[in-house]
Amino acid sequence: MKSFKSILPVLSVITLFGSFVSCEIEEVEPGYELISDYTLNYTNSIGVPLANPVGIASDDENFWIMFGEHNAEEHQLIYYNPETYEIERSFVFVDLIEELGTGVYGITWSGEHVWISVSGNTNKVVKVDPFTGKILQSWSSPTVLGPSDLAFDRGMLWLSSGTGDLYAINPTNGGSELFTEHKHDSHRDLGMLVYADKMWVGDLFDKDIHVYDLDSKEYLGVIKTALYANGKFCLYQGQFVVLDEGGIKFYDIVV
């Protein structure tokens, strides 16, 4: 019994020291070890009818998909039926980039119009009539490179710059404000959407998705290796949808 009592203080010290070390390790990279409550379950995929898809949006009936290479003279926007695999509308834009060193990237649906993000040596967001393809409005954009993406929620355009900064843009007057700096490991983002008052932001170099609270701007955690392939994304009939070079992939959102 005497021997047993003599080792108790030692064990206590080891236990306390081990707990202390564990806390220190968790605090080395605050926030980014948080795991989000969400998971994504892959369900199915479909193809897209043209090459070089760069952006996707949905009105919950069909998809708006943008196509075109970086520095391309022409880009094509289609309204695509995922049930019949038919192109119901198609518009071609000439010299949308204005200058070389520019790409046409993410798009979003505002309920009445399609918005397109252009980034690089030309940086702008463009409002398009969904029935005629006519450009109705252009606002300068706070992007500098890309691959930028757009979402629409609460009457605002939400923009991921592709270089780590997330912005809110007023579509009426073009004013923009920094929402937060997306400081994950690579500092480069790819794809974003707003879902249930939360902003979801993809990573350019891996398959993770990072989640932020839209009101507090608080970082809520990462959905690790959430995707089979990273890309631009949107919501469609309650599902999470990702556009990549291989087509459109559908995921169920699980909390």
Side-chain angles (χ1 to χ4, degrees):
M1 292 296 293
K2 181 177 181 181
S3 174
F4 176 74
K5 290 181 179 179
S6 67
I7 65 171
L8 286 179
V10 177
L11 290 174
S12 298
V13 170
I14 291 173
T15 302
L16 289 172
F17 181 72
S19 299
F20 176 76
V21 171
S22 176
C23 290
E24 286 300 309
I25 291 174
E26 289 177 0
E27 293 174 2
V28 169
E29 294 181 350
Y32 291 98
E33 293 301 316
L34 291 173
I35 304 300
S36 172
D37 293 334
Y38 294 97
T39 58
L40 295 176
N41 292 339
Y42 171 80
T43 60
N44 64 295
S45 66
I46 61 174
V48 292
L50 301 173
N52 303 314
V54 295
I56 188 168
S58 169
D59 61 6
D60 248 11
E61 289 186 20
N62 297 315
F63 289 113
W64 289 100
I65 308 176
M66 197 77 184
F67 297 86
E69 295 181 355
H70 187 80
N71 286 333
E73 183 179 347
E74 291 186 354
H75 290 81
Q76 188 167 354
L77 176 66
I78 67 170
Y79 189 54
Y80 182 58
N81 188 319
E83 301 293 334
T84 65
Y85 316 116
E86 296 177 338
I87 298 175
E88 298 190 357
R89 297 174 218 164
S90 178
F91 309 111
V92 173
F93 300 90
V94 178
D95 199 28
L96 194 56
I97 65 169
E98 298 183 35
E99 300 178 66
L100 293 177
T102 305
V104 175
Y105 296 107
I107 63 176
T108 194
W109 171 251
S110 69
E112 296 181 350
H113 303 99
V114 179
W115 288 83
I116 303 169
S117 178
V118 179
S119 304
N121 288 330
T122 300
N123 296 278
K124 61 184 178 180
V125 290
V126 178
K127 182 169 73 172
V128 174
D129 186 297
F131 298 101
T132 66
K134 181 180 178 181
I135 293 177
L136 303 175
Q137 179 72 62
S138 291
W139 295 115
S140 60
S141 171
T143 53
V144 294
L145 181 61
S148 55
D149 200 11
L150 292 171
F152 187 86
D153 191 80
R154 303 183 180 186
M156 299 292 286
L157 288 170
W158 300 93
L159 180 143
S160 62
S161 65
T163 54
D165 294 325
L166 309 174
Y167 293 90
I169 300 177
N170 186 322
T172 302
N173 61 24
S176 62
E177 294 184 4
L178 181 68
F179 173 75
T180 189
E181 295 179 333
H182 182 43
K183 296 299 185 182
H184 56 81
D185 290 342
S186 71
H187 297 262
R188 297 294 302 276
D189 50 90
L190 176 66
M192 62 95 67
L193 58 76
V194 175
Y195 169 75
D197 296 322
K198 296 172 180 62
M199 182 182 291
W200 294 33
V201 184
D203 188 281
L204 179 60
F205 300 113
D206 61 34
K207 300 170 185 177
D208 295 347
I209 295 175
H210 301 266
V211 182
Y212 296 84
D213 186 275
L214 206 61
D215 293 307
S216 68
K217 304 182 183 180
E218 178 186 1
Y219 180 75
L220 300 178
V222 60
I223 310 174
K224 296 292 291 183
T225 57
L227 309 174
Y228 283 136
N230 59 1
K232 303 298 178 59
F233 39 83
C234 69
L235 294 173
Y236 174 72
Q237 297 184 2
Q239 285 191 296
F240 183 92
V241 175
V242 181
L243 175 73
D244 59 37
E245 291 293 338
I248 302 171
K249 295 176 174 60
F250 298 82
Y251 298 79
D252 287 334
I253 301 172
V254 181
V255 182

